[in-house]
Amino acid sequence: FVQDISPAWLDNNLFYVAGGGTVIKSMKFDITINSYNLVDASDFSSHLIVNPITLATFKNNTTNDVNLLLVVNSDGTLACHNSVAQQKIYAWSQLTTQDGLFRYAHGARGNCYFIVERQVEGQTFFFIEKSDFNRFLDSSVLKTFDTPTALITGLSNLNGRTVQVKADGIFVGTY
């Protein structure tokens, strides 16, 4: 458990860890009362906050899309605060990754990056993984071919896994 977790800015709010690592609070200056408003941002979702080790944000560059506060928990899960501030929509969700643990998150230039701890053939490795909001999959692979192809190589990271395949934008099955 990290004691000194840097706060994160999102939607003109400063989010920070409080309550001994079980609560995420937000603070915003209210000009009408010339004071800061403090809010328990994790109210009704405190079960998703498990001794956070880092906070990060993903800020969408378009007007009406969701912004994210990413809370990496010590148990390897990711608590995600989804925010569409213009519409006053806020919701928490929990994300996990198959056979891995989130260890760090960072939002930069319209992308989310994660350091994920994974076991590969009995050894521990740390991978830098980038979110693709068009796929939402663990360790997904995008391959493009100029001619029809029946055999695809270079997928050893998927050996022994159940995979779903799309071809020409159409779901073709689970293998």
Side-chain angles (χ1 to χ4, degrees):
F1 175 62
V2 177
Q3 296 292 329
D4 297 318
I5 301 171
S6 296
W9 282 101
L10 186 69
D11 298 328
N12 295 319
N13 286 280
L14 180 68
F15 289 86
Y16 62 96
V17 179
T22 60
V23 175
I24 303 296
K25 297 245 183 202
S26 70
M27 180 171 70
K28 183 176 187 176
F29 189 78
D30 185 339
I31 197 166
T32 60
I33 60 173
N34 198 32
S35 181
Y36 287 94
N37 281 332
L38 297 176
V39 175
D40 181 350
S42 60
D43 200 15
F44 304 113
S45 300
S46 60
H47 62 287
L48 301 178
I49 311 302
V50 184
N51 295 324
I53 54 178
T54 190
L55 300 179
T57 58
F58 168 77
K59 299 171 188 166
N60 205 310
N61 293 329
T62 59
T63 306
N64 294 317
D65 285 328
V66 67
N67 292 325
L68 306 174
L69 173 69
L70 306 167
V71 181
V72 179
N73 290 313
S74 62
D75 66 355
T77 61
L78 185 74
C80 183
H81 180 264
N82 304 271
S83 167
V84 184
Q86 300 86 352
Q87 298 175 23
K88 295 185 175 42
I89 298 172
Y90 309 99
W92 283 92
S93 58
Q94 184 181 59
L95 304 174
T96 58
T97 183
Q98 185 177 13
D99 295 331
L101 302 169
F102 289 102
R103 294 301 183 201
Y104 186 79
H106 183 73
R109 297 185 176 152
N111 294 301
C112 288
Y113 298 91
F114 303 96
I115 294 178
V116 178
E117 177 183 338
R118 296 189 184 279
Q119 297 292 318
V120 179
E121 297 178 359
Q123 294 186 330
T124 301
F125 291 91
F126 293 89
F127 295 86
I128 298 173
E129 300 184 10
K130 177 182 168 186
S131 271
D132 182 336
F133 291 103
N134 294 313
R135 291 192 271 167
F136 296 107
L137 303 169
D138 288 338
S139 298
S140 66
V141 177
L142 177 64
K143 299 263 185 177
T144 303
F145 304 97
D146 293 328
T147 59
T149 303
L151 178 64
I152 302 170
T153 60
L155 303 174
S156 61
N157 64 313
L158 300 175
N159 286 347
R161 301 272 183 212
T162 300
V163 298
Q164 295 182 335
V165 178
K166 283 175 66 175
D168 297 325
I170 299 169
F171 176 74
V172 294
T174 300
Y175 302 92

